[in-house]
Amino acid sequence: MGDDSRPDISYDYPAALARSPESPAGIRKMADVYVTMRDGVKLCVDIYLPQDDGPYPALLSLSPYLKDLQHKPPHWSHAIESGATTFFVPKGYIHVIAQGRGGGLSQGKWQWFDEKERTDGYDLIEWIAAQPWCAGDVGMIGDSYWSWSQYAAAQAQPPHLRCLCQCDSSIDFYRDVVYQGGIYHHAFISNWVEYHTRQFAWPGEVDGKEEPMNLTYEAARHPTDGPWWRERSPVSGLDRIRTPSLHIAMQGGVTHIRGQLRGYTQIQAPKRLLVCPAPGFWSHVRYLTSPALNRQMLRWFDHWLKGIDTGIMEEPEVAIFDSATRDWRYESEYPLARTEWVPFYLGEKGALGQSAPTGDEPADNYRMPESFAQIVSGKPVLAYVTPPLDHAVRIAGPISFTLHAASSQPDTVWYAYLVDVAPDGKAAPVSSGKLKASFRALDSARSRPGQPYHLFEAQELLEPGRIYDYEIEMMPAFRTIAEGHRLELRIASEDIAYNNPLRQIDLHLLPWPVENTVHHSMAHPSNLLLPVIPDAPEIEPVQPPVSEIDWPLLPGSWSPNTDGWPLVGD
């Protein structure tokens, strides 16, 4: 069992409020068990078991987010992402929810996947496998940070880790999370740091627990990519993963899907990919409450942890949900081998089409801060629109935008947005991308169609007035643009949803006022590169439970109800 010695705790919050929630009905629980890591730090875990004695295979969830929140409604906090205990435990699994180092009742210091945190998964897995209640087979489960921990554990290659089940699992903390396009992600990071810092402080002083890393300061000290980011990012060790993995990629997100899909192609182990409907802010809620999604996850666990022939490994490798038609389709690989890379060129008078410019065309320009009023009102600063399509166009995969542009200042930023415009004028978001101009340098060896790979190692300031080529990576998209619809590409140099009214130092350093000029001529053919998918016979129809995975896009960041929680039954 766990370590009988428990650290002293001085509660800053009422002790009655610091208790773990009661065990879900029909499930046994061992609460606040301490497990000693290789450096002597003790991590606190809760263990949920079936009513009948085992042994059983185990599922590990590991994160610094509070384990004591995990059986409250997920609609209340985005930290509730460890997996649907009430669904899996009655089906013959043990669920171990581990409090990461430096958080809650655990000892240690949180330093965002430093070497110590990266080995904790290994130590926990091997400890779990040796317990009398465990059959010796361990899988991992959990969304977002809980999935980052899966990468770290699998890269350490613990002998008893049999499978992963990852959702919203980006791979590059610089490019995906903190500095997208080289621009600090103020709107997300500022909230996220404060949100988990309070979870580190709760419930008070724990003997052996230290104050966490100041991530806000460290991010400001490391505005370029380099060893600090690479050592802790999963991307650095994907080639060491040998564990079978089910990847659940949620469309429409701005933090995870780019990296998760890029990383998927680099993992050389048995794997399956589900590209799921867009949930908006609520990916963790869908992860915990969708019956069909969790039934598919159960098929995965039953195959790898119980040796049950569920048929999941005989099905095609990739299943993709079309965000417009609401249909699922199997594919043999990702990115799709039959992809046709089709450029759509910017033209004069706001045109967007497949014909490249054949001569000189007048450029388009705008100024900041004058264009800020358009941004605040939701109006495009610059927009380029196709005619109504004469046939449906299916896109599936990565997207990029080649921008030929000049600026009156030595640095600026570019934001690009792609929308699907219906005949009635209603616009649906398709993709977006961003790039700080001084980070335009590319690594050509690591770039792919639709996936320019920027170095982000040093800023190269602009010569004002000079035209440069910018390769802007945009989020992958999976959508059929219907006949009669139009594609519209919008360009700006500010994004109030990505940034913050208080600004951040990297934006403070951008010189205003600025005039930016977009070129679209034969010499400077700015274009959007789309992954167009030609028709092909279906490999086979998608069957339940995958065909039943669907949910409406819920806007905003507050949920009106707790529908679907807790997830129980078949």
Side-chain angles (χ1 to χ4, degrees):
M1 193 49 63
D3 192 323
D4 291 332
S5 62
R6 298 167 62 86
D8 293 330
I9 302 171
S10 177
Y11 289 95
D12 293 335
Y13 299 84
L17 299 180
R19 288 198 305 264
S20 296
E22 295 300 319
S23 177
I27 297 173
R28 293 182 292 145
K29 177 183 178 182
M30 294 186 286
D32 297 340
V33 176
Y34 279 89
V35 183
T36 303
M37 301 293 100
R38 63 187 67 183
D39 64 347
V41 163
K42 296 180 176 67
L43 303 188
C44 194
V45 309
D46 289 339
I47 304 165
Y48 297 87
L49 306 96
Q51 286 286 17
D52 297 333
D53 290 337
Y56 299 97
L59 303 175
L60 170 63
S61 301
L62 171 60
S63 169
Y65 299 165
L66 291 179
K67 68 178 179 60
D68 307 274
L69 289 176
Q70 296 308 308
H71 293 109
K72 296 181 183 294
H75 315 65
W76 292 3
S77 170
H78 224 299
I80 303 172
E81 304 172 309
S82 63
T85 303
T86 54
F87 182 80
F88 291 104
V89 173
K91 295 172 179 60
Y93 288 93
I94 291 167
H95 191 189
V96 180
I97 302 179
Q99 180 72 66
R101 65 173 54 222
L105 298 173
S106 287
Q107 295 182 322
K109 179 183 180 68
W110 178 81
Q111 299 192 90
W112 202 21
F113 287 102
D114 65 346
E115 184 178 359
K116 293 178 180 179
E117 184 178 0
R118 295 198 302 274
T119 60
D120 287 343
Y122 182 111
D123 293 351
L124 284 165
I125 288 163
E126 294 307 295
W127 177 84
I128 291 168
Q131 301 311 302
W133 37 259
C134 181
D137 299 303
V138 183
M140 294 189 75
I141 187 172
D143 176 274
S144 190
Y145 202 117
W146 308 82
S147 279
W148 291 340
S149 295
Q150 295 184 47
Y151 283 126
Q155 289 169 7
Q157 300 181 353
H160 291 89
L161 178 60
R162 305 288 184 246
C163 66
L164 311 176
C165 183
Q166 298 181 288
C167 180
D168 276 349
S169 50
S170 48
I171 61 168
D172 190 320
F173 294 159
Y174 184 92
R175 289 166 178 79
D176 294 329
V177 184
V178 181
Y179 280 102
Q180 294 179 14
I183 307 165
Y184 186 77
H185 195 176
H186 198 316
F188 172 73
I189 295 300
S190 299
N191 286 328
W192 184 60
V193 169
E194 200 246 344
Y195 150 92
H196 63 63
T197 298
R198 289 180 175 272
Q199 295 183 64
F200 298 140
W202 184 93
E205 183 176 341
V206 176
D207 184 37
K209 183 170 79 169
E210 303 177 47
E211 292 184 5
M213 162 196 285
N214 184 338
L215 181 55
T216 302
Y217 177 81
E218 293 294 341
R221 284 293 317 279
H222 299 91
T224 57
D225 195 17
W228 192 89
W229 296 100
R230 292 171 191 150
E231 108 171 84
R232 48 190 28 91
S233 290
V235 67
S236 300
L238 294 178
D239 60 341
R240 296 197 300 273
I241 293 178
R242 299 292 180 266
T243 309
S245 53
L246 172 62
H247 289 259
I248 301 165
M250 301 286 192
Q251 294 184 47
V254 297
T255 304
H256 293 292
I257 190 170
R258 184 215 77 94
Q260 183 171 10
L261 292 179
R262 187 179 181 100
Y264 180 82
T265 67
Q266 299 176 46
I267 293 174
Q268 302 303 310
K271 58 188 178 181
R272 291 293 182 269
L273 172 64
L274 292 176
V275 180
C276 289
F281 181 75
W282 301 102
S283 58
H284 68 299
V285 173
R286 304 308 184 189
Y287 184 71
L288 289 166
T289 64
S290 166
L293 178 57
N294 279 272
R295 284 196 294 269
Q296 183 68 358
M297 293 159 62
L298 180 64
R299 296 178 68 214
W300 181 256
F301 290 132
D302 281 351
H303 177 89
W304 292 106
L305 296 175
K306 293 185 176 181
I308 298 173
D309 183 9
T310 64
I312 196 167
M313 296 307 291
E314 282 70 56
E315 294 167 357
E317 180 182 321
V318 176
I320 294 174
F321 182 86
D322 189 301
S323 64
T325 66
R326 316 300 293 182
D327 293 325
W328 282 92
R329 182 182 172 101
Y330 280 133
E331 299 292 348
S332 298
E333 71 288 306
Y334 179 84
L336 279 60
R338 69 180 188 281
T339 301
E340 296 178 356
W341 295 100
V342 179
F344 282 72
Y345 295 92
L346 281 60
E348 58 183 333
K349 299 180 180 179
L352 183 66
Q354 294 184 43
S355 298
T358 57
D360 291 334
E361 292 184 358
D364 302 314
N365 56 32
Y366 58 91
R367 292 179 57 84
M368 288 289 289
E370 287 84 345
S371 62
F372 193 74
Q374 294 167 264
I375 296 167
V376 172
S377 65
K379 298 177 181 178
V381 176
L382 291 182
Y384 301 86
V385 189
T386 67
L389 300 182
D390 58 11
H391 64 279
V393 174
R394 181 185 173 213
I395 57 176
I399 298 172
S400 63
F401 173 37
T402 300
L403 173 65
H404 297 256
S407 179
S408 64
Q409 294 282 6
D411 204 3
T412 190
V413 289
W414 306 107
Y415 293 94
Y417 316 87
L418 182 63
V419 296
D420 175 356
V421 183
D424 62 3
K426 184 177 180 180
V430 176
S431 180
S432 64
K434 56 191 71 69
L435 181 66
K436 182 177 285 189
S438 55
F439 280 126
R440 62 194 177 278
L442 290 171
D443 183 339
S444 57
R446 301 178 73 176
S447 296
R448 301 287 184 271
Q451 295 177 293
Y453 192 89
H454 294 88
L455 292 170
F456 295 121
E457 293 176 349
Q459 290 181 255
E460 301 175 20
L461 296 182
L462 310 177
E463 177 186 331
R466 178 181 170 184
I467 302 172
Y468 293 88
D469 300 348
Y470 303 95
E471 297 290 339
I472 301 175
E473 183 176 19
M474 302 183 70
M475 290 295 175
F478 304 86
R479 186 178 184 86
T480 296
I481 313 302
E483 179 181 349
H485 285 222
R486 293 172 294 145
L487 280 170
E488 180 174 297
L489 179 67
R490 301 171 178 175
I491 301 171
S493 291
E494 172 62 290
D495 185 326
I496 57 177
Y498 183 83
N499 294 311
N500 182 293
L502 297 178
R503 302 295 173 184
Q504 187 45 258
I505 187 169
D506 65 325
L507 284 180
H508 283 155
L509 297 175
L510 287 173
W512 280 9
V514 60
E515 181 173 305
N516 289 335
T517 304
V518 173
H519 292 263
H520 42 78
S521 63
M522 184 169 64
H524 301 290
S526 296
N527 67 90
L528 176 73
L529 187 63
L530 293 182
V532 175
I533 309 302
D535 290 338
E538 275 193 300
I539 299 173
E540 61 184 75
V542 180
Q543 301 294 333
V546 173
S547 62
E548 297 172 346
I549 299 173
D550 194 1
W551 42 69
L553 176 63
L554 184 64
S557 55
W558 294 100
S559 177
N561 56 58
T562 56
D563 289 350
W565 178 88
L567 183 62
V568 296
D570 296 330

